C-alpha cells in the first residue's frame, strides 16, 4: 500500500508541475498532452507518448482530471466531466478488471460478457448497493434460464 501511495504522490506532483489537456488523436480517440504555450485562442502542446509538438485550437482541448480521480467508481464525481475523461476512466477500470462503473445512478458495464469469478449462488441475491462488483441485478427469470440444461 505504501508503494501505491508513493506512486499517487509522484503522479500528483507531476500533475501540478505541468498543465495537461486531452487532445483528439486518430489512433486512441484522445491523448494527453502538456501545454507548452497558451496563445489565447490556440495552444502549443506536446503529446505525452510521442513528444510531438502541435498547435491546436483551445476549444479542441479538454481538461484532464487530477490523478486522485484515476479509476473513480462514480464518474459523476469527476472534476471535469468531459468525453475524454469519461473514456479514460472507463478504459483504466476495464484494464484493471473493474468492468462496473457508475455515472450517478446509472451502472455502466464495459464488456459484461467477460468471465468473472461469480457463481450463480452469488448472483441469486440481487443488490443495488454501491460498491465494487456489486452492480449487477439478475432477475429470478434470468437465473432460472441460466440454470436450465
Amino acid at each position: 500500500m505504501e508503494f501505491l501511495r508513493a506512486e499517487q504522490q509522484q503522479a500528483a506532483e507531476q500533475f501540478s508541475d505541468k498543465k495537461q489537456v486531452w487532445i483528439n488523436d486518430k489512433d486512441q480517440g484522445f491523448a494527453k498532452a502538456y501545454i507548452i504555450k497558451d496563445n489565447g485562442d490556440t495552444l502549443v502542446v506536446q503529446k505525452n507518448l510521442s513528444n510531438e509538438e502541435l498547435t491546436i485550437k483551445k476549444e479542441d482541448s479538454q481538461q484532464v482530471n487530477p490523478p486522485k480521480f484515476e479509476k473513480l467508481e462514480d464518474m459523476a464525481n469527476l472534476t471535469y466531466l468531459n468525453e475524454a475523461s469519461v473514456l479514460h476512466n472507463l478504459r483504466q477500470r476495464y484494464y484493471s478488471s473493474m468492468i462496473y462503473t457508475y455515472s450517478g445512478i446509472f451502472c455502466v458495464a464495459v464488456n459484461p460478457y467477460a468471465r468473472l469469478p461469480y457463481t450463480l449462488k452469488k448472483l441469486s441475491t440481487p443488490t443495488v448497493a454501491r460498491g465494487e462488483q456489486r452492480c449487477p441485478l439478475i432477475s429470478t427469470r434470468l437465473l432460472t434460464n441460466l440454470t436450465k440444461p
Side-chain angles (χ1 to χ4, degrees), residues 28-30 86-96:
Q28 299 178 28
F30 295 98
V86 167
L87 291 174
H88 174 72
N89 190 57
L90 289 172
R91 180 182 294 145
Q92 294 306 311
R93 288 181 60 81
Y94 173 78
Y95 290 154
S96 299

Side-chain angles (χ1 to χ4, degrees), residues 2-50:
E2 289 179 26
F3 174 74
L4 290 177
R5 289 185 190 134
E7 189 177 275
Q8 287 174 338
Q9 180 70 23
Q10 184 180 16
E13 288 170 6
Q14 287 176 348
F15 181 82
S16 62
D17 289 343
K18 299 176 182 170
K19 184 79 172 157
Q20 295 186 36
V21 291
W22 291 108
I23 61 171
N24 292 327
D25 183 73
K26 64 180 178 183
D27 297 326
Q28 299 178 28
F30 295 98
K32 279 187 185 177
Y34 290 112
I35 296 175
I36 296 172
K37 189 173 183 182
D38 187 344
N39 296 327
D41 290 343
T42 61
L43 297 173
V44 178
V45 298
Q46 181 180 17
K47 277 183 151 180
N48 284 12
L49 297 177
S50 66

Side-chain angles (χ1 to χ4, degrees), residues 119-148:
T119 63
L120 288 177
K121 190 172 185 175
K122 272 187 183 178
L123 291 174
S124 64
T125 310
T127 179
V128 293
R130 288 187 180 223
E132 271 316 309
Q133 305 299 327
R134 295 195 66 206
C135 182
L137 292 174
I138 307 289
S139 71
T140 307
R141 176 181 279 169
L142 178 60
L143 279 173
T144 304
N145 290 335
L146 283 173
T147 57
K148 282 185 181 176

Side-chain angles (χ1 to χ4, degrees), residues 49-72:
L49 297 177
S50 66
N51 293 328
E52 176 185 359
E53 280 192 24
L54 303 166
T55 302
I56 61 167
K57 293 180 183 177
K58 201 175 215 175
E59 64 193 37
D60 291 338
S61 68
Q62 298 178 34
Q63 292 181 294
V64 173
N65 286 293
K68 73 177 185 177
F69 292 105
E70 280 291 310
K71 300 178 189 171
L72 194 64

